[in-house]
Amino acid sequence: MNVWQYAVQQTGHDFEPISKWSSDAQAAIAQLKVRGDVDLLAWNTATDASDIYPQYALADLVTRIDHTTYARLLERLASVVDQAKLPVLSQLQRQWYLASYVAAFSHQSLLNTAAALLSLTVLQLKTPPLVLATAAQSQLRGLADQARCWLLAAQVSDLQLIATDKPLATLLTHLIEQTPDLDECCVTGKAVGWELANDAYWLSQVESPTFKLEQLQTSVAYRLIRAAYLERSLG
């Protein structure tokens, strides 16, 4: 049984729901998509814990990462993919930006961010569209973990990630060419790179009726629902 209940409140208020509480977050999500004046409320009925998730404005997000190392990493990856003459669908581009937003607002390292971006890219390039959702659940973590481990083993620095194509190009080629059964290999414990990739992937599906808040791993992602919807609409 889901112990979490969801509602919305007027932006800036102190936990004052203006909608009915529901264990199904779809009604709250629907409000967040179309209104710029509401926050998401979450309430755990078992522990009485509660959270308020104000929604980031899309324009503020773009400004926040513009001219940062996250933006430079995105430019480097785009350059690598373009030079390899690989296709980049609009959905993948949205995922790149969403992963960067989550990384920037949760102050994640460039190494973890690069691992997330590579895993999203490889998954998209290697997977037929009809089985993409299933593959995301089984392979996204393995790809992110492998990318992070490789970058650590190669002692790739943050400066190298944004100053030269070589680390990203080499790893992208390796992950694309390895057999699919290896894509699921992952390490135990916390996997920040996967969390970034996971949240970006599911936020890019925010318009789908199968989207669920419980698919998200980080609190920052809960504040990106409206922005993810607008990013999809603009794309």
Side-chain angles (χ1 to χ4, degrees):
M1 182 176 117
N2 186 5
V3 298
W4 285 98
Q5 300 277 315
Y6 303 99
V8 296
Q9 69 167 17
Q10 288 288 142
T11 297
H13 285 220
D14 188 17
F15 215 82
E16 301 170 17
I18 58 173
S19 63
K20 292 182 179 179
W21 289 104
S22 174
S23 58
D24 183 356
Q26 289 301 323
I29 291 171
Q31 291 289 303
L32 295 174
K33 289 177 182 176
V34 299
R35 294 181 59 173
D37 62 343
V38 291
D39 303 330
L40 174 65
L41 300 180
W43 169 42
N44 188 315
T45 56
T47 65
D48 208 31
S50 59
D51 293 290
I52 300 174
Y53 297 104
Q55 297 297 295
Y56 291 120
L58 184 56
D60 292 341
L61 290 170
V62 174
T63 302
R64 177 70 176 262
I65 71 164
D66 199 20
H67 305 301
T68 67
T69 52
Y70 298 104
R72 291 174 66 185
L73 181 63
L74 280 176
E75 292 170 1
R76 184 62 63 186
L77 179 60
S79 172
V80 166
V81 173
D82 181 62
Q83 289 179 40
K85 295 183 170 44
L86 296 169
V88 178
L89 301 179
S90 58
Q91 184 185 69
L92 178 57
Q93 289 182 314
R94 286 194 296 272
Q95 291 171 4
W96 284 355
Y97 283 107
L98 289 165
S100 298
Y101 298 153
V102 178
F105 279 83
S106 55
H107 307 290
Q108 291 303 325
S109 68
L110 280 190
L111 187 145
N112 284 329
T113 308
L117 294 171
L118 283 165
S119 64
L120 289 163
T121 304
V122 174
L123 182 76
Q124 183 79 247
L125 293 172
K126 291 179 71 170
T127 310
L130 291 179
V131 295
L132 192 55
T134 302
Q137 296 182 55
S138 63
Q139 295 166 230
L140 202 56
R141 173 160 184 176
L143 291 167
D145 283 357
Q146 289 177 65
R148 184 177 185 277
C149 288
W150 188 93
L151 291 168
L152 284 171
Q155 298 183 324
V156 176
S157 67
D158 285 356
L159 179 59
Q160 286 174 304
L161 282 171
I162 59 177
T164 174
D165 288 349
K166 187 174 181 180
L168 293 177
T170 301
L171 186 48
L172 180 64
T173 300
H174 169 72
L175 291 174
I176 288 176
E177 292 180 351
Q178 76 176 9
T179 58
D181 58 316
L182 293 178
D183 293 346
E184 298 184 31
C185 296
C186 59
V187 298
T188 59
K190 188 174 178 64
V192 175
W194 166 72
E195 289 179 349
L196 297 176
N198 174 84
D199 287 356
Y201 177 83
W202 290 113
L203 283 169
S204 75
Q205 313 294 317
V206 71
E207 200 171 81
S208 167
T210 61
F211 172 78
K212 293 182 175 22
L213 286 177
E214 293 78 8
Q215 292 163 326
L216 304 177
Q217 297 293 313
T218 67
S219 59
V220 169
Y222 278 66
R223 302 181 65 182
L224 287 166
I225 294 165
R226 184 183 303 134
Y229 176 77
L230 293 174
E231 185 97 47
R232 183 182 182 91
S233 300
L234 292 173

